[in-house]
Amino acid sequence: MAAARLLTPVAVEPLPVREWRAAALPVAGPVRRGTPPPYEPLLARRSSAAMVQTAVARVVDDGEPDIPRIVRRLARGHALARLPLRPVATLRFGAQILVDLGVGMEPFARDQGELVAQIRAVVGREHTRARYFEDSPLRGVGEEGRWSWGPYTPPTRGTRVLVLSDLGTGGPVAHPRRSGREEWAELTRRLGRAGCRVTAFVPCPPHRLPAWAAELMDIVPWDRHTTVGQVTRRLRTPDRY
């Protein structure tokens, strides 16, 4: 096969001279990062302690003698088999905190830690127990890493159970381990038989929650705009002991 023959140029035209009308961009300097905004917890700091106390407190007939009730019973000729006492709110029954570590709650990990610390400060460390789970407590809970998790056991009678979870509403749409009504209904049934009530702190607007959530447990919107009055209204009729 013969080698290709080089072509001989017949003319050479000079390149046109272009005049740039815009100045060249300056050389990029070092990146300056601004100061990140201060951390703000989901519950307002000025009222978070009052909200926690409202959510955990139980009403018991353990106050001063209820003189009006005593007088009415004696006036009707009824014997006092038991001295009527005034109802008072107490934290002595303690609290169990169920902290959801599922994918939907990952953006709120710091808020969970802040709220757990706030509950311990209000109720007392000796009366507060935190248990961690992923998506549903019925799949296993524990105080430390996942390697230590085991079956969920309800606390002693009268303990308030606080759930820090999105109740299966967050995370990717195709999340395969998303919890649902059946698991939360079973949890509330077990706690009801054990004499414990459930209050869920949920970091999403109430309209995003399914209707069954409010039917199963007390729901507190976990938001900066939540007030003590709203917490009180969302709690059902207080237990009496």
Side-chain angles (χ1 to χ4, degrees):
M1 183 176 179
R5 185 167 57 89
L6 294 176
L7 299 177
T8 303
V10 297
V12 177
E13 295 182 0
L15 295 175
V17 178
R18 298 182 181 275
E19 294 183 2
W20 298 100
R21 298 181 179 180
L25 296 176
V27 178
V31 178
R32 295 183 178 180
R33 301 182 181 275
T35 303
Y39 166 73
E40 289 291 339
L42 284 179
L43 292 182
R45 295 184 186 275
R46 64 182 182 278
S47 55
S48 59
M51 283 187 272
V52 168
Q53 185 170 356
T54 301
V56 177
R58 316 303 295 256
V59 178
V60 296
D61 292 331
D62 198 21
E64 298 292 330
D66 192 338
I67 302 302
R69 289 172 58 190
I70 295 174
V71 171
R72 285 195 299 270
R73 291 188 60 86
L74 293 177
R76 295 170 183 170
H78 297 160
L80 293 177
R82 180 180 179 185
L83 184 65
L85 302 176
R86 293 184 180 276
V88 294
T90 179
L91 300 174
R92 74 167 183 263
F93 290 94
Q96 182 186 75
I97 315 169
L98 298 178
V99 185
D100 188 354
L101 302 182
V103 63
M105 291 297 293
E106 287 180 356
F108 307 101
R110 183 171 180 178
D111 295 284
Q112 288 176 318
E114 290 274 342
L115 186 53
V116 170
Q118 180 74 80
I119 295 170
R120 284 173 171 159
V122 172
V123 183
R125 299 187 67 89
E126 68 279 7
H127 296 303
T128 306
R129 295 291 181 270
R131 300 289 185 272
Y132 298 89
F133 67 96
E134 187 172 320
D135 297 304
S136 170
L138 300 184
R139 304 176 194 175
V141 300
E143 295 186 38
E144 299 179 357
R146 289 173 174 80
W147 58 268
S148 66
W149 292 3
Y152 175 70
T153 303
T156 57
R157 181 176 181 81
T159 303
R160 175 75 75 180
V161 177
L162 303 180
V163 179
L164 313 186
S165 173
D166 60 4
L167 304 181
T169 60
V173 176
H175 180 38
R177 292 177 53 82
R178 186 186 304 276
S179 60
R181 178 190 179 111
E182 293 75 15
E183 288 179 300
W184 292 108
E186 175 60 23
L187 176 70
T188 56
R189 280 194 294 267
R190 293 186 188 182
L191 290 170
R193 290 194 295 266
C196 303
R197 286 177 50 187
V198 190
T199 299
F201 283 77
V202 183
C204 66
H207 67 269
R208 287 187 52 191
L209 290 175
W212 55 260
E215 297 173 359
L216 296 177
M217 63 190 79
D218 300 332
I219 303 294
V220 174
W222 197 359
D223 185 80
R224 294 188 184 95
H225 301 292
T226 302
T227 64
V228 178
Q230 289 174 332
V231 175
T232 302
R233 289 192 296 271
R234 288 190 170 273
L235 297 180
R236 304 176 188 182
T237 304
D239 297 332
R240 298 295 293 271
Y241 289 88

